[in-house]
Amino acid sequence: QVRLVESGGGLVQPGGSLRLSCAASGNIFSINTVAWYRQAPGKGRELVARITRGSITNYADSVKGRFTVSRDNTRNTVYLQMNSLKPEDTAVYYCNAAVQFRSSGPLYDYGGQGTQVTVSS
């Protein structure tokens, strides 16, 4: 069984920063690509950032230059550093991970419950 837990959300003023964490636990062989999504009230889920196991990253245009995704494979944890936050960044942020349970085994997708980020003065 795999569990993904997002943390680090909260209330921050415009221009502020937050760092989200996505920690995976369970009998995991490796974690491959991890993606951060967000969903604002009344809107669909949006891909924010993605990082491969080799730390190749890509970002939504709306967050480029402000958000940075990174990972610590020794801790099975992925981070999303969010700077220069704007009110339009307000959303529930979710992580999704592609997980292997054995070498050269298939990948399985897992998602977390999300963490609320609110940007407001």
Side-chain angles (χ1 to χ4, degrees):
Q1 179 140 357
V2 173
R3 188 171 178 229
L4 288 182
V5 178
E6 301 96 336
S7 62
L11 173 64
V12 64
Q13 292 187 341
S17 298
L18 285 173
R19 188 175 83 153
L20 305 184
S21 299
C22 171
S25 60
N27 192 16
I28 299 168
F29 175 76
S30 72
I31 299 174
N32 287 42
T33 297
V34 177
W36 283 99
Y37 293 86
R38 66 186 180 187
Q39 187 162 19
K43 295 189 178 180
R45 189 170 287 201
E46 173 191 20
L47 176 64
V48 175
R50 186 162 43 201
I51 184 167
T52 68
R53 180 160 180 82
S55 294
I56 295 172
T57 59
N58 56 31
Y59 299 90
D61 287 344
S62 58
V63 306
K64 278 181 183 175
R66 300 188 298 123
F67 290 12
T68 303
V69 60
S70 61
R71 63 191 296 160
D72 182 344
N73 290 332
T74 65
R75 297 177 182 268
N76 284 342
T77 301
V78 170
Y79 304 97
L80 184 67
Q81 178 67 43
M82 306 187 297
N83 298 329
S84 302
L85 282 161
K86 305 175 181 180
E88 52 264 42
D89 294 318
T90 296
V92 179
Y93 284 70
Y94 302 88
C95 65
N96 178 277
V99 174
Q100 276 183 311
F101 295 103
R102 56 182 173 83
S103 176
S104 300
L107 294 172
Y108 296 90
D109 282 337
Y110 289 89
Q113 294 299 308
T115 185
Q116 176 71 47
V117 171
T118 302
V119 185
S120 175
S121 54

